[in-house]
Amino acid sequence: MLPADHAQALLVGRVLTDTGPSPVIIRNGVLHDVSAVAPTVADLLERDDLTTITGPVLCGVEAFGTPEGPTLLAPIDLQCVKACGVTFALSAIERVIEERARGDADKAATIRGDLEARVGSGIRSVVPGSAEAASLKAALIDAGMWSQYLEVAIGPDAEVFTKAPVLSAIGWGGDIGIRSDSDWNNPEPEIVLVVDRNGTPRGATLGNDVNLRDFEGRSALLLGKAKDNNASTSIGPFIRIFDAGFTMDAVRSAVVDLQIDGPEGYRLSGTNKMSEISRDPTDLVRQALSEHQYPDGFALFLGTLFAPVQDRDHPGRGFTHKEGDVVRISTPKLGSLVNRVTTSKAAAPWTFGIRDLMRNLAGRGLL
């Protein structure tokens, strides 16, 4: 669960205590409840004393993942959850495939081969928004190959959208939800930046930005329905705070691994190499902030290289989730995020909102 070098890491998260959700800090292998001095993670990330702040000890890290260990929540609370799409060349090609196949997985393989042959190398070689990108766009339009997804892949403006409501994300070990009426979907293993109210990235964590390929493939206007459903966002296990030993360069060079274990014995593995991202993480933060403010901060999914095409049940239909799949997203500097797949209808209903949190904190004397 924890980073390989967790003894040198400063980690921030949230756990469910007997009295309610509490921000925590992990330092030197010990979990401290810091709710008395920072009742929310949004408050905690505004402080400049994270290396010394302390509170009651809840447990040691050896208790994580055991029946006696703490219940982990998503490590954000009041932050808005934003996401960037089509930030890798491969993901751009796969989105064009979804669009041209109109969400029909049977058509995907033929379209994929044609697009890779005609477009793949061009997308990989240009800087988004550059003169070379504009020339490639013109050539693709002339060839009848242009797409709204290629616009955000190589054009000047990144795709930035709101992924989930405040407090709706699930954490490590929770069930992640797929719409019950989707039959072509996949996980999206990503790094998530956590940014404070001043627009400063304070740390990073892992996330699963579930993708419904059939819904978004039928129409890009179905993005909201495809992305924002009950339990469709997982984040965690902890935010690793940026410091001398963990910088933005660690995010830029991270290799994020994905493993899916199905209930029938199926296994799929994949890798998301952040070095292949088309837009720098700091540019994505800048674009998210260009004409908006986030007084409680925000979490920003950076996008994924991973787009599974390995057949699961039928030749040519590629991958789609089944209920009971266990999804593990991991990278050495951030640890691992593990969730089991269910449907959004079958997942535990989201019932603890902002008013509930405020009432809880007030009742505990923390406000």
Side-chain angles (χ1 to χ4, degrees):
M1 181 190 304
L2 295 175
D5 59 343
H6 65 85
Q8 289 76 49
L10 180 59
L11 303 174
V12 165
R14 289 168 70 235
V15 302
L16 184 61
T17 69
D18 292 338
T19 56
S22 290
V24 296
I25 281 183
I26 299 177
R27 194 169 49 239
N28 299 323
V30 176
L31 188 73
H32 299 264
D33 181 343
V34 295
S35 58
V37 292
T40 67
V41 174
D43 289 309
L44 185 59
L45 295 183
E46 300 299 326
R47 300 179 66 106
D48 57 8
D49 59 350
L50 296 184
T51 58
T52 58
I53 190 174
T54 189
V57 173
L58 297 181
C59 65
V61 296
E62 65 278 359
F64 292 165
T66 69
E68 298 77 25
T71 299
L72 296 184
L73 304 172
I76 60 171
D77 42 38
L78 297 181
Q79 291 88 351
C80 185
V81 183
K82 308 290 287 187
C84 299
V86 202
T87 55
F88 290 80
L90 180 59
S91 66
I93 292 170
E94 288 300 316
R95 290 299 183 276
V96 176
I97 291 167
E98 292 164 15
E99 180 185 44
R100 293 186 174 236
R102 297 290 185 233
D104 184 346
D106 290 325
K107 298 179 181 178
T110 300
I111 298 170
R112 181 177 295 110
D114 184 46
L115 283 170
E116 274 285 6
R118 299 176 65 181
V119 183
S121 60
I123 292 178
R124 287 178 172 86
S125 65
V126 301
V127 176
S130 66
E132 291 78 9
S135 296
L136 176 61
K137 175 180 178 177
L140 292 172
I141 290 173
D142 288 341
M145 298 289 288
W146 191 244
S147 161
Q148 58 198 332
Y149 293 107
L150 297 179
E151 176 64 44
V152 294
I154 66 174
D157 298 308
E159 179 189 20
V160 184
F161 58 92
T162 299
K163 165 65 179 176
V166 169
L167 288 176
S168 68
I170 62 171
W172 185 96
D175 285 353
I176 193 162
I178 304 289
R179 282 187 66 99
S180 57
D181 49 358
S182 170
D183 59 12
W184 188 23
N185 48 67
N186 60 253
E188 292 198 334
E190 304 187 24
I191 289 181
V192 182
L193 295 181
V194 184
V195 182
D196 67 17
R197 68 181 300 157
N198 299 313
T200 302
R202 295 300 308 273
T205 185
L206 295 169
N208 187 350
D209 176 20
V210 173
N211 179 36
L212 307 186
R213 303 192 69 178
D214 46 1
F215 273 71
E216 193 175 344
R218 282 191 283 124
S219 172
L221 296 179
L222 292 174
L223 176 68
K225 181 171 280 190
K227 287 294 187 180
D228 182 8
N229 302 290
N230 183 45
S232 65
T233 306
S234 66
I235 299 176
F238 298 96
I239 302 165
R240 182 164 185 174
I241 301 300
F242 288 129
D243 55 22
F246 180 69
T247 67
M248 190 65 76
D249 282 341
V251 171
R252 294 182 176 108
S253 62
V255 176
V256 181
D257 292 317
L258 172 82
Q259 181 173 300
I260 303 170
D261 289 294
E264 80 279 34
Y266 173 89
R267 172 169 286 188
L268 182 145
S269 299
T271 300
N272 184 17
K273 296 180 179 179
M274 289 297 294
S275 61
E276 296 187 26
I277 197 168
S278 303
R279 301 179 190 269
D280 190 76
T282 57
D283 181 59
L284 295 173
V285 171
R286 180 190 63 78
Q287 293 213 29
L289 286 165
S290 63
E291 300 209 19
H292 211 319
Q293 299 78 44
Y294 297 93
D296 295 306
F298 65 97
L300 184 64
F301 282 76
L302 296 179
T304 187
L305 171 69
F306 180 73
V309 298
Q310 174 183 317
D311 292 332
R312 183 165 193 174
D313 291 321
H314 306 289
R317 283 190 58 86
F319 171 85
T320 195
H321 268 308
K322 292 184 178 182
E323 288 189 63
D325 282 352
V326 175
V327 180
R328 181 178 188 269
I329 299 168
S330 61
T331 191
K333 290 289 187 179
L334 296 175
S336 64
L337 173 63
V338 180
N339 301 103
R340 186 178 70 90
V341 173
T342 185
T343 66
S344 292
K345 286 185 176 180
W350 173 42
T351 58
F352 193 84
I354 297 173
R355 289 182 300 165
D356 299 288
L357 177 61
M358 294 302 106
R359 288 172 182 142
N360 175 269
L361 297 177
R364 294 159 64 185
L366 299 178
L367 292 181

